[in-house]
Amino acid sequence: MSSRVSIAGHPLHPMLVTIPIGLWVFSLVSDIAYLSTGDMRWESTAYFTLGGGIVGALLAAVPGLLDYLGLHEPRERRVASIHLVLNLAIVVVQVVNFWLRAEGAPGGQNLPVLISVVAVAALVVSGWLGGQLVHVFGVTQPHHGEQGALEHDRLHPRT
């Protein structure tokens, strides 16, 4: 199955997931910088990059869901289901994290930072599953039958 949502043959979901991943990792880095220096600019940066990551994740989820709906192989579908549920859980956790920061988390900064650590660790697992879907199962690549038809059309163009 080639990706259902693509631009010029390039799947959109893998392009978009870099936005929340990068922002959430940088949010955690900003938290660490804030805890190390006490500089409030790092705390603000962590907050805003966390929020941007949530928006980016929701944008990436749309083509991801459409690609998911196109999966039919049970093994691919099982791994993709785990990937999907894990990503939804990460988004929910990050929304709670964002809310805690906006409201002033009980216990100060420690709980939101701990949540960020857990969320980034879960991103690693989710990324592993996404990589398995793409690189092991080849879900964004045409299957052999489709590839054969594409090759046939290339070698024998219709006039």
Side-chain angles (χ1 to χ4, degrees), residues 20-152:
I21 292 169
L23 287 171
W24 286 338
V25 168
F26 190 68
S27 180
L28 178 58
V29 168
S30 298
D31 278 334
I32 294 167
Y34 169 67
L35 293 175
S36 298
T37 67
D39 186 339
M40 297 298 285
R41 292 176 293 185
W42 285 114
E43 183 181 38
S44 295
T45 301
Y47 177 75
F48 287 113
T49 53
L50 177 64
I54 292 166
V55 172
L58 296 174
L59 291 173
V62 174
L65 178 62
L66 294 173
D67 287 345
Y68 173 79
L69 294 174
L71 296 176
H72 303 293
E73 296 291 325
R75 190 171 60 157
E76 295 168 359
R77 187 84 170 182
R78 186 181 76 250
V79 171
S81 294
I82 296 167
H83 177 72
L84 178 130
V85 169
L86 183 56
N87 284 332
L88 290 176
I90 293 167
V91 172
V92 168
V93 164
Q94 292 292 52
V95 167
V96 169
N97 191 356
F98 189 77
W99 178 79
L100 285 171
R101 290 167 190 255
E103 295 296 315
Q109 189 72 7
N110 292 337
L111 181 59
V113 173
L114 179 61
I115 292 172
S116 288
V117 168
V118 170
V120 168
L123 280 174
V124 171
V125 175
S126 180
W128 181 280
L129 295 170
Q132 184 175 2
L133 289 166
V134 171
H135 300 292
V136 176
F137 298 149
V139 297
T140 61
Q141 301 301 315
H143 285 296
H144 296 292
E146 294 172 12
Q147 185 64 39
L150 291 173
E151 184 66 15
H152 179 269

